[in-house]
Amino acid sequence: MKKLQLILGCLTIGVLSSFAQTDFTLSEQLFSRIGINPAGIGNSANVNIFSLNRFQYAGMEGAPFTTQLNVHSYIEKAKSGIGLTVSYDKSGIAYQQIQAKAVYAYNLNFGKHHIFSFGIGLGLYYKSFDPSKHIYNPDPAVPDRFQDETRFDASFGIEYANPYILIGVSMNHIPGYFYEQTTLSSAPSYYGYVRGFIPCSEGFKLAPAVAYYYTGQYHVIDANVTGFIGKYVYVGLGYKTETTGYAMVGFEWNWLRIGYACDVNFAKLSNVAWSSHEFMISFNIPTARGVNGKWIY
């Protein structure tokens, strides 16, 4: 047990020594994108509620844990999407952060099936570090007392969607450009993604995707493909550069979507904890201006 705590302590020190804490990445992120791109709303007038829990390095006491809640909808008369994203991330034993952001996006519709969306997110994040919660060798780069801080946060993004392709780019933690990076700040991060949607037959649709994330410290390329089988089931496979392969499976019924992803770790910790798990539940609640709970992929 102490060995596991020491490993997690070393992970935390590695993050702290590089100053700003990095953003987390999720395997099922493209199912609800406003956490990484405020422009990722407006494809449906329904109210979408998305909740995801990620358990990193399963089996290790004090292992990283992330939870995220997204809520958004679209106002047709204003051609605008509105939403809220809230997340909690525990990175190792001693480090945690909470982020909350309100999101607004304006849509330009070209015909019935082409949507350009320009979004902005404004909010706050809170971070804390408590060195008393783990064991490590003294390091002058690591604070020796409890620290916490709340900072203003902002993001901007653009997204284009039609029935066959989804393209988005965004920049998060924009205020990070204007102050010195510390253990309790968030460095600017960048996201880009392309997702296709290919009807292969009446009962089978294929959705290949490629995403690039720069999370403030690490460059990640995430490639995956998801197959939607009939009306109710989807399965997928993916790979994140140098670290993780993963599989997804999910079930859809009317306004309900349930998903699970299992990541297999190929990095240095694979001999201690080789898997991570994500559990997702999402509700696509019909409104008077909606489309009867239809999912927009």
Side-chain angles (χ1 to χ4, degrees):
M1 191 63 63
K2 289 185 177 179
K3 179 181 178 182
L4 298 183
Q5 290 181 339
L6 180 60
I7 292 172
L8 287 167
C10 291
L11 288 176
T12 303
I13 291 171
V15 171
L16 292 171
S17 299
S18 62
F19 299 103
Q21 166 71 346
T22 63
D23 277 353
F24 53 83
T25 59
L26 304 171
S27 296
E28 299 171 287
Q29 187 70 75
L30 289 183
F31 283 110
S32 182
R33 301 174 301 283
I34 67 172
I36 60 172
N37 188 349
I41 51 180
N43 290 340
S44 172
N46 299 318
V47 176
N48 183 263
I49 303 172
F50 172 92
S51 175
L52 185 145
N53 294 301
R54 179 177 176 85
F55 300 86
Q56 188 86 3
Y57 306 138
M60 295 178 67
E61 183 178 351
F65 169 75
T66 302
T67 185
Q68 184 177 71
L69 174 67
N70 298 337
V71 181
H72 65 86
S73 188
Y74 183 72
I75 304 172
E76 180 66 34
K77 291 183 179 180
K79 297 182 180 179
S80 301
I82 56 174
L84 176 70
T85 176
V86 180
S87 64
Y88 168 78
D89 183 41
K90 184 186 74 170
S91 304
I93 297 173
Y95 207 128
Q96 65 177 353
Q97 62 176 322
I98 300 172
Q99 301 183 68
K101 184 166 52 180
V103 173
Y104 170 81
Y106 182 77
N107 284 12
L108 295 175
N109 299 329
F110 298 90
K112 296 182 178 180
H113 304 297
H114 300 269
I115 302 172
F116 275 102
S117 181
F118 303 85
I120 185 171
L122 300 175
L124 299 170
Y125 64 81
Y126 167 84
K127 298 191 178 190
S128 67
F129 171 67
D130 186 354
S132 68
K133 291 187 176 181
H134 65 73
I135 303 169
Y136 61 90
N137 294 324
D139 187 330
V142 179
D144 59 1
R145 58 184 176 82
F146 178 83
Q147 296 186 340
D148 68 333
E149 192 171 278
T150 301
R151 288 181 181 261
F152 171 71
D153 200 12
S155 58
F156 175 77
I158 301 172
E159 188 174 274
Y160 167 75
N162 68 36
Y164 304 104
I165 195 168
L166 175 73
I167 302 172
V169 294
S170 65
M171 179 189 305
N172 288 280
H173 309 308
I174 295 174
Y177 279 109
F178 304 104
Y179 49 70
E180 182 181 358
Q181 299 303 315
T182 70
T183 59
L184 297 177
S185 65
S186 288
S189 57
Y190 308 91
Y191 299 87
Y193 50 85
V194 178
R195 187 179 193 184
F197 189 63
I198 307 169
C200 299
S201 66
E202 184 176 350
F204 181 70
K205 302 176 181 66
L206 203 61
V210 177
Y212 166 78
Y213 307 141
Y214 175 69
T215 62
Q217 183 182 0
Y218 300 106
H219 299 271
V220 179
I221 296 177
D222 183 346
N224 64 75
V225 59
T226 305
F228 294 88
I229 305 167
K231 297 181 180 179
Y232 304 111
V233 177
Y234 65 86
V235 294
L237 293 173
Y239 179 73
K240 300 173 188 176
T241 50
E242 299 184 2
T243 57
T244 306
Y246 61 93
M248 298 182 292
V249 61
F251 173 81
E252 299 173 357
W253 180 73
N254 289 341
W255 47 266
L256 173 67
R257 173 184 281 164
I258 299 173
Y260 166 74
C262 178
D263 293 15
V264 179
N265 182 31
F266 300 134
K268 294 180 181 179
L269 281 179
S270 60
N271 60 335
V272 177
W274 61 272
S275 66
S276 301
H277 305 276
E278 285 184 10
F279 300 91
M280 179 262 287
I281 184 168
S282 186
F283 302 93
N284 203 31
I285 303 172
T287 65
R289 61 189 186 279
V291 286
N292 299 321
K294 180 182 178 182
W295 289 100
I296 308 297
Y297 302 105

